[in-house]
Amino acid sequence: MEKKDIKWSELGFGYVKTDKRYVANFRNGAWDEGGLTEDADIVMNECACVLQYAQTCFEGLKAYTTEDGRTVCFRPDLNAARMYDTALRLEMPPFPKERFVEAVKQVVKANEAWVPPYGSGATLYLRPYLFGINPVIGVKPADEYQFRIFATPVGPYFKGGVKPLTLCVSDFDRAAPHGTGHIKAGLNYAMSLHPIVEAHKAGFAENMYLDAATRTKVEETGGANFLFVTKDGGVVTPKSDSILPSITRRSLMYVAKEILGLKAEEREVHFDEVKDFAECGLCGTAAVISPVGKIVDHGKEIAFPSGMDEMGPVTKKLYDTLTGIQMGRIEAPEGWIVEI
Ligand SMILES: *Cc1c(COP(=O)(O)O)cnc(C)c1O
């Protein structure tokens, strides 16, 4: 397979049009057979449900080249399952899980020239999404839907080395109890745009959101779950029904417990105890783990002992182990790596 002539390590995180994308349509109560297309544009009516009432959801995962030259994806079955759950909560017809994984494979295969080589740090980012497409003006779910997956190559997340982030505690809420925080709905991102723009203006990389009901417990950031490391080397992640169940976080908790033999706990985390942790990181598909060096709560600073220069030692071990599994340097738990 001849790869595209791209300076892989200089790529950023932006949209690059690749050769093929997958499309399936839901009409008259059923999904059609779907397939690949070269057409990157979508034509829809001015009154399409997605445009009026934001009936849309998405997923994100990566394809990449392992050390021994295989093209693989990481746990696409969990993306399929999460989009299924999201669709049900948004009154959308879920796309069948087996077909989701099959479509992921088709898109990667058709764009194999765009899968960055091993060692470049770049990956092929896959974006599955589902939206209501027919005209809807009275508030109700659409009758017709489109499911798509496109692929776009993205550069290494940590260009020029890992730099711990500084976060601020947000005055806005990301998700309400019994709301939609646990699903990957586009609307969760629309309402987070203002808080993130404000945070950036104030010089912070991300917002830490607290629970909307009591503002005493840690939730997550706009697009990544928290992991904390205790002073005695255990791993803790916040438990809440309004956190998005990150596949990276769930995988890291498994790695912590089953591979590294660490104490790993999912439990409520009170903001008051954050100052007592030794390390903090953000988990998501994009970076795997981004270390957090400092959290600022209305002028009061919490500086983690791991500092502002590098990842803490436990965070680093988790990061190295999971990326080692993904890149084929460490044996993967059953079913985690799907070969294309
Ligand atoms: C997608 C997402 C994450 C990260 O999930 P991964 O499956 O690890 O990529 C975390 N928080 C929110 C709000 C998200 O939308």
Side-chain angles (χ1 to χ4, degrees):
M1 168 59 57
E2 180 99 21
K3 295 289 179 188
K4 297 281 170 185
D5 183 20
I6 292 176
K7 291 200 167 61
W8 301 104
S9 54
E10 286 170 28
L11 275 173
F13 196 92
Y15 173 74
V16 175
K17 188 176 156 190
T18 52
D19 299 334
K20 299 274 177 67
R21 66 277 299 122
Y22 182 90
V23 189
N25 286 291
F26 183 90
R27 283 194 203 101
N28 304 317
W31 285 104
D32 68 10
E33 69 181 29
L36 296 170
T37 173
E38 285 178 9
D39 193 355
D41 295 323
I42 301 170
V43 176
M44 65 178 87
N45 184 269
E46 61 191 348
C47 197
C49 192
V50 57
L51 299 179
Q52 305 309 326
Y53 301 128
Q55 197 186 19
T56 180
C57 63
F58 68 98
E59 275 300 327
L61 70 160
K62 287 169 163 182
Y64 47 89
T65 310
T66 58
E67 188 171 33
D68 59 358
R70 292 172 297 147
T71 301
V72 302
C73 286
F74 184 69
R75 310 188 80 180
D77 54 317
L78 296 189
N79 296 98
R82 193 167 63 187
M83 183 176 254
Y84 197 97
D85 295 343
T86 298
L88 293 179
R89 176 64 176 78
L90 295 177
E91 286 296 332
M92 304 167 98
F95 195 67
K97 290 178 228 177
E98 310 70 47
R99 289 193 61 191
F100 180 107
V101 174
E102 196 45 47
V104 163
K105 289 182 183 170
Q106 283 187 33
V107 171
V108 177
K109 188 106 201 118
N111 295 294
E112 204 157 5
W114 295 92
V115 180
Y118 175 79
S120 64
T123 52
L124 187 68
Y125 184 74
L126 303 169
R127 170 51 61 86
Y129 56 118
L130 166 63
F131 54 97
I133 197 167
N134 66 295
V136 171
I137 192 79
V139 177
K140 64 176 171 106
D143 302 305
E144 297 179 358
Y145 294 84
Q146 196 163 90
F147 170 77
R148 283 185 167 250
I149 305 178
F150 68 77
T152 185
V154 297
Y157 195 85
F158 297 117
K159 270 200 202 117
V162 177
K163 199 93 198 79
L165 307 174
T166 301
L167 315 185
C168 62
V169 176
S170 184
D171 287 327
F172 295 96
D173 295 322
R174 190 194 83 88
H178 317 295
T180 56
H182 62 301
I183 60 166
K184 223 164 165 75
L187 60 92
N188 291 344
Y189 280 74
M191 66 83 225
S192 77
L193 296 175
H194 179 60
I196 194 65
V197 168
E198 292 292 308
H200 287 168
K201 270 193 216 154
F204 300 105
E206 265 292 353
N207 284 301
M208 170 187 264
Y209 293 105
L210 302 180
D211 75 296
T214 70
R215 295 193 151 267
T216 58
K217 289 174 275 185
V218 175
E219 291 263 314
E220 59 172 320
T221 68
N225 288 181
F226 279 102
L227 270 193
F228 296 101
V229 178
T230 60
K231 290 204 167 116
D232 59 2
V235 181
V236 175
T237 193
K239 185 180 175 73
S240 154
D241 291 338
S242 44
I243 289 176
L244 194 284
S246 156
I247 294 165
T248 315
R249 183 256 298 165
R250 286 182 273 162
S251 303
L252 287 163
M253 292 300 280
Y254 181 92
V255 164
K257 200 168 176 174
E258 306 296 334
I259 299 180
L260 300 177
L262 304 174
K263 189 170 171 217
E265 259 189 306
E266 185 181 359
R267 61 160 172 87
E268 287 190 342
V269 173
H270 284 261
F271 181 69
D272 284 349
E273 57 179 314
V274 169
K275 63 178 188 336
D276 300 325
F277 289 122
E279 301 174 34
C280 173
L282 301 179
C283 344
T285 295
V288 179
I289 313 182
S290 308
V292 174
K294 202 192 286 179
I295 299 174
V296 180
D297 174 27
H298 303 89
K300 276 207 309 282
E301 289 195 357
I302 297 171
F304 294 101
S306 50
M308 294 303 292
D309 295 320
E310 53 188 16
M311 274 191 190
V314 177
T315 306
K316 178 91 168 66
K317 211 169 197 169
L318 287 166
Y319 177 83
D320 287 346
T321 309
L322 188 57
T323 52
I325 288 170
Q326 291 178 329
M327 292 299 163
R329 298 185 296 258
I330 297 174
E331 195 188 338
E334 180 78 29
W336 281 24
I337 303 296
V338 171
E339 206 165 321
I340 306 302

